[in-house]
Amino acid sequence: MSATRPRPTAVLAFNDRCATGVLDLFLRSGVAVPGDISVVGFDDSHLARLAHIDLTTVGQDIARLAGLAVGRAVARLEGAEIPAGEQVITPRLVVRGTSAPPR
């Protein structure tokens, strides 16, 4: 990807761990992040918050997601009625040092 022309303006990785791998690739290839390309992860994990990584990421309310999942599992085990459909918990963009407007 570092040699692709024209280079994309950003990469959205599957999770923060994958994003750190992308950052490593760009560092080794001499591609400036965020100067030449932005990198965004997903999860807002402890890796994203490390000062030397400073990863822009999509954060989720993990406690709320876990609570809803466990609540549904318990309800199912107890034979309670489970509402149809999905519950969507809105994620949030956590802007840090690996993203910038495209040139």
Side-chain angles (χ1 to χ4, degrees):
M1 186 175 357
S2 62
T4 303
R5 297 291 183 267
R7 184 180 293 128
T9 59
V11 174
L12 173 60
F14 176 75
N15 58 32
D16 292 343
R17 181 171 285 178
C18 290
T20 59
V22 171
L23 289 172
D24 183 64
L25 168 81
F26 288 146
L27 176 68
R28 293 172 188 268
S29 302
V31 176
V33 175
D36 296 331
I37 193 167
S38 292
V39 176
V40 178
F42 196 95
D43 289 331
D44 196 20
S45 70
H46 69 281
L47 287 172
R49 296 181 212 121
L50 294 174
H52 67 285
I53 294 178
D54 198 32
L55 179 67
T56 296
T57 186
V58 176
Q60 305 177 83
D61 187 344
I62 301 297
R64 185 160 179 220
L65 289 169
L68 289 170
V70 169
R72 275 206 178 190
V74 169
R76 222 173 237 216
L77 289 170
E78 293 176 347
E81 188 173 325
I82 298 172
E86 298 177 354
Q87 280 189 288
V88 177
I89 308 302
T90 305
R92 67 194 183 291
L93 180 62
V94 182
V95 179
R96 293 192 181 103
T98 61
S99 61
R103 292 183 187 199

